[in-house]
Amino acid sequence: MLAQIPFPEISPEIFTLPIAGMEFSLRWYALAYIVGIIIAWKVSIRAVSRPTLWSGTAPLTKPQLEDLLTWIIFGIILGGRLGFVLFYEPAYYLANPSQILKVWQGGMAFHGGFLGVVVASWVWCARNGVSKIAAADTIALGVPWGLMLGRLANFINAELWGRPSDVPWAMKFPSMCHNTVLQGCEKAGEWFYTGAELTRHPSQLYQAALEGALLGLVLLFLAFSRGALKTRGLVTGVFIAGYGTARFIVEHFRQADAQFVTPDNPFGHVVLGLTMGQLLSLPMVFIGVLIILWSKRQRIA
């Protein structure tokens, strides 16, 4: 399989500064987190600044939203890291507990980060007497844009590749290992070549488009043009179900994590023909749909 589109060789590091005998680098992945949080904050601020979007007054003031954002940042980092440790490599980290806190070496899981945000937001709302579901609606509006930037950073880092493919837009990703993890290429069974001719789906771009741009535009349309924020829980439900659906679909094109890949299981299925990403996404679809149905009933009542 020959690469149809050349992979753009972009350095993962934007710049490096020597400080006190050490080198500090700003990486695209870190910038994606920073810019994503800023965009989410801006979108949320715009929403709470327009009382006509809500049924009554906005659920949060600007100072409250800024305080909640601080809790959310901690939830993303702690939840994302612990999610990766528990969902993807529990045996390794159980044997090497000192590695758990080394976030800078890589290893974050969206589903863990999502749970971290839920817990952090829940605790903050309980402490401040703010409606949990209304706060969730506010937060959900800006999340997809951070996801989009994160997936673009994954693409630049040449990590989390797609499955081997010969579609016209397939790419030959660099054959270097990322954090010593080959993402299953050494176990690809019938698709094992030499690495030089192996082309793959650019699944990071699929995710950036579906769970990022498309889902983000849908939420903004519902909130700012269709009055969705007047129905508490609707935006939250659409976000959760939308992300779960997008992730479930893209998992068909994404290379499974190396620890789940064997010569007899090149797709990395965990159970019932599903990957770990799909297994973790199905409950999100189910919960999201339940929240949407609940929100509709609240509006009727």
Side-chain angles (χ1 to χ4, degrees):
M1 287 184 275
L2 298 177
Q4 305 298 311
I5 299 178
F7 179 79
E9 296 289 345
I10 303 174
S11 173
E13 298 178 355
I14 302 174
F15 62 79
T16 300
L17 297 176
I19 301 177
M22 297 183 291
E23 292 187 342
F24 294 86
S25 300
L26 176 62
R27 302 175 65 89
W28 287 105
Y29 197 75
L31 184 63
Y33 267 82
I34 296 170
V35 176
I37 290 172
I38 292 174
I39 292 176
W41 174 69
K42 289 288 187 181
V43 171
S44 299
I45 286 292
R46 184 177 179 185
V48 300
S49 299
R50 297 177 61 177
T52 56
L53 295 178
W54 306 86
S55 179
T57 59
L60 292 160
T61 64
K62 182 178 177 180
Q64 285 179 319
L65 190 57
E66 292 173 347
D67 187 32
L68 175 57
L69 180 62
T70 302
W71 284 65
I72 288 174
I73 292 172
F74 282 106
I76 292 173
I77 296 173
L78 294 177
R81 183 58 172 177
L82 291 178
F84 180 80
V85 169
L86 296 175
F87 298 150
Y88 292 95
E89 295 194 26
Y92 171 78
Y93 287 103
L94 183 63
N96 302 275
S98 62
Q99 301 296 312
I100 294 177
L101 297 180
K102 296 183 179 180
V103 182
W104 57 90
Q105 293 184 354
M108 297 283 282
F110 168 81
H111 296 91
F114 174 77
L115 291 176
V117 170
V118 169
V119 172
S121 302
W122 188 280
V123 173
W124 184 91
C125 288
R127 288 166 56 95
N128 291 273
V130 173
S131 167
K132 299 177 181 67
I133 194 66
D137 287 339
T138 308
I139 297 165
L141 283 175
V143 174
W145 305 105
L147 295 177
M148 180 187 73
L149 294 174
R151 295 311 179 189
L152 292 176
N154 290 147
F155 179 74
I156 292 174
N157 289 348
E159 61 189 0
L160 305 182
W161 322 309
R163 293 178 180 176
S165 173
D166 58 358
V167 296
W169 55 89
M171 293 184 178
K172 185 185 73 175
F173 286 89
S175 58
M176 63 181 182
C177 302
H178 179 69
N179 291 335
T180 72
V181 178
L182 292 174
Q183 299 184 201
C185 61
E186 80 284 12
K187 304 175 183 178
E190 61 182 295
W191 284 324
F192 178 74
Y193 292 86
T194 63
E197 303 297 331
L198 190 62
T199 57
R200 298 174 176 273
H201 283 286
S203 59
Q204 312 97 323
L205 301 184
Y206 301 170
Q207 289 187 262
L210 289 180
E211 68 194 42
L214 179 60
L215 181 56
L217 290 174
V218 168
L219 294 183
L220 291 180
F221 173 74
L222 291 175
F224 289 92
S225 298
R226 305 299 295 178
L229 291 173
K230 295 181 185 295
T231 304
R232 291 194 172 186
L234 180 57
V235 169
T236 299
V238 172
F239 166 72
I240 295 174
Y243 175 87
T245 302
R247 179 66 182 268
F248 189 91
I249 292 172
V250 176
E251 282 287 321
H252 285 290
F253 307 98
R254 177 172 161 169
Q255 176 68 33
D257 294 272
Q259 61 269 31
F260 302 120
V261 176
T262 66
D264 297 328
N265 183 24
F267 290 119
H269 293 150
V270 177
V271 64
L272 298 177
L274 301 176
T275 66
M276 178 59 78
Q278 288 175 318
L279 199 62
L280 295 173
S281 295
L282 278 178
M284 295 188 71
V285 177
F286 180 71
I287 292 171
V289 170
L290 287 182
I291 293 175
I292 292 171
L293 295 176
W294 173 83
S295 70
K296 292 291 188 180
R297 293 190 64 178
Q298 299 302 308
R299 185 173 185 176
I300 293 174

